[in-house]
Amino acid sequence: MAFRTTHELHHRRMSRNLGLGLVLVALVALVFGLTMVKVQELAQDDAFRSGAVAQSKGSMW
Amino acid sequence: MTDATYQQPSREAGFGDYIALLKPRVMSLVVFTALVGLLVAPVSVHPVVGFAAILFIAIGGGAAGALNMWWDADIDAVMRRTARRPIPAGRIEPGEALGFGLALSVFSVVMLGLATNLLAGALLAFTIFFYVVIYSMWLKRSTPQNIVIGGAAGAFPPMIGWAAATGSVSVEAVLMVALIFMWTPPHFWALALFMKSDYHDAQVPMLTVTHGRAATRRHVLIYTLLLAPVAMALAFTSIGGPVYLVAAAVMNGWFLWGAWRIWRRDEGVAQADNYRVEKDVFRFSLLYLFVHFGALLADAALRATGVI
């Protein structure tokens, strides 16, 4: 008797594994995007702070 | 052991079954109201952060839904409306749903806290706790006021969205919560009036079961009367505007008219036309919430473009 390699069960597992894989890839992309935004915001904050400090030093004179 | 045993494979869950555990229809309301809360807030957020915030709020809401399905599997198996859910249908084990819900709860709260701020994360954690412990485990099976207090859980998403943007809570956020909170009882009681056998069979102490149908009709009217001033008050806050004012006036007038008709009917008349008015009011109540939050969004757009 030939061994059946595919079964309805395998299709279900395939859909589950594929779905989970896509979710994980999307999560990696999202965390990467969030990291980029947070780093940019930090850089902007630093630039703003250093600009404000320079301005306040300039006004002293 | 030499004999081979054959086991019929169980109906293994597919990816869609796990999505069903997250109650996607409820999630759509959570996403929409949280998005409005985030967009009408006076502080703008980066689109990526805003997207992440809404996603994590949605996952948190879905996790609460999964935990609710785990706890209520016995009720769901009895009720016609819920008997095909993954746990009562035997596609997902209760323990698996519990683990899934707990893992997603922790994940969503931590990620929202990291992506936005601690207040938003804490509010999401409180919302999940309120829905699962206060509503599902405690109130739902013990008091006919289950819907009233439990409705608070579904009301929090716009406040979480607002907190994600501003890092604080203000009167506008509280009024958005109050709007959903006051809307929930008449919405669900209208449903309970025409899905009567379900709650009775499951022995859930809905108002229709414990206090009768006339009392439920009276409560629908009372809560709709209490809802109207809350809805109108939002028009006079910083996030209200002409679109919201007109929409709220029309929708509340209509809702009150529906609640009045429900109150005036007796059971014989309702049965004769197969609960037409109750079904109409239930469907209208979905539109009611969508229009209110849509109007807030429209006013925010008008403000952003300098029209008002």
Side-chain angles (χ1 to χ4, degrees), chain B residues 86-130:
Chain B
I87 302 175
R91 294 194 299 276
I92 291 181
E93 293 291 317
E96 203 179 351
L98 172 65
F100 185 64
L102 285 176
L104 284 187
S105 297
V106 173
F107 169 79
S108 60
V109 167
V110 170
M111 289 303 288
L112 182 65
L114 290 173
T116 59
N117 55 69
L118 286 181
L119 178 65
L123 281 171
L124 182 61
F126 178 72
T127 303
I128 296 170
F129 168 80
F130 200 96

Side-chain angles (χ1 to χ4, degrees), chain B:
Chain B
M1 190 174 163
T2 53
D3 59 326
T5 52
Y6 173 72
Q7 269 192 320
Q8 181 70 28
S10 62
R11 173 107 163 76
E12 197 160 329
F15 188 68
D17 291 318
Y18 291 91
I19 298 294
L21 266 190
L22 304 177
K23 295 193 176 181
R25 284 175 69 182
V26 178
M27 202 194 267
S28 63
L29 179 72
V30 168
V31 166
F32 179 59
T33 57
L35 181 68
V36 173
L38 188 123
L39 290 177
V40 301
V43 181
S44 64
V45 292
H46 192 284
V48 174
V49 176
F51 172 78
I54 297 302
L55 181 69
F56 296 136
I57 294 169
I59 293 172
L67 291 171
N68 168 271
M69 281 203 205
W70 160 72
W71 183 257
D72 279 346
D74 57 331
I75 296 179
D76 286 349
V78 177
M79 290 177 34
R80 195 161 33 96
R81 186 170 62 89
T82 54
R84 285 190 301 273
R85 284 178 174 176
I87 302 175
R91 294 194 299 276
I92 291 181
E93 293 291 317
E96 203 179 351
L98 172 65
F100 185 64
L102 285 176
L104 284 187
S105 297
V106 173
F107 169 79
S108 60
V109 167
V110 170
M111 289 303 288
L112 182 65
L114 290 173
T116 59
N117 55 69
L118 286 181
L119 178 65
L123 281 171
L124 182 61
F126 178 72
T127 303
I128 296 170
F129 168 80
F130 200 96
Y131 185 64
V132 176
V133 178
I134 306 293
Y135 171 68
S136 302
M137 294 183 174
W138 180 27
L139 295 171
K140 186 172 178 179
R141 298 173 193 233
S142 62
T143 167
Q145 297 299 318
N146 46 18
I147 288 301
V148 178
I149 307 161
F156 275 111
M159 182 185 271
I160 305 172
W162 179 280
T166 63
S168 63
V169 169
S170 67
V171 67
E172 291 87 349
V174 172
L175 279 172
M176 282 190 284
V177 170
L179 175 66
I180 305 177
F181 179 68
M182 296 306 298
W183 162 88
T184 308
H187 167 75
F188 271 105
W189 284 331
L191 174 73
L193 279 170
F194 63 86
M195 296 286 278
K196 53 181 182 179
S197 66
D198 263 9
Y199 292 110
H200 190 267
D201 295 346
Q203 295 184 317
V204 176
M206 280 298 265
L207 204 61
T208 43
V209 180
T210 59
H211 288 68
R213 312 178 67 73
T216 307
R217 292 173 185 282
R218 193 165 58 248
H219 274 70
V220 169
L221 180 62
I222 292 168
Y223 274 88
T224 311
L225 282 167
L226 293 171
L227 168 66
V230 173
M232 295 307 296
L234 254 177
F236 303 101
T237 63
S238 69
I239 60 171
V243 177
Y244 181 86
L245 182 63
V246 173
V250 172
M251 297 307 276
N252 281 280
W254 211 326
F255 205 5
L256 278 168
W257 167 237
W260 173 266
R261 287 195 298 158
I262 284 182
W263 178 59
R264 290 292 301 269
R265 282 153 68 86
D266 62 26
E267 214 39 41
V269 177
Q271 273 180 349
D273 66 6
N274 198 22
Y275 296 92
R276 190 176 53 81
V277 173
E278 290 78 3
K279 286 176 182 173
D280 284 350
V281 170
F282 174 73
R283 275 193 292 269
F284 173 77
S285 66
L286 290 167
L287 183 70
Y288 174 96
L289 208 62
F290 178 78
V291 168
H292 274 79
F293 279 86
L296 287 175
L297 212 51
D299 278 326
L302 291 179
R303 261 191 300 278
T305 52
V307 177
I308 55 171

Side-chain angles (χ1 to χ4, degrees), chain A residues 9 12-13 15-16 19 37-38, chain B residues 11-15 46 115:
Chain A
L9 202 77
R12 292 197 154 264
R13 281 186 188 160
S15 93
R16 214 168 56 187
V37 171
K38 294 282 175 191
Chain B
R11 173 107 163 76
E12 197 160 329
F15 188 68
H46 192 284

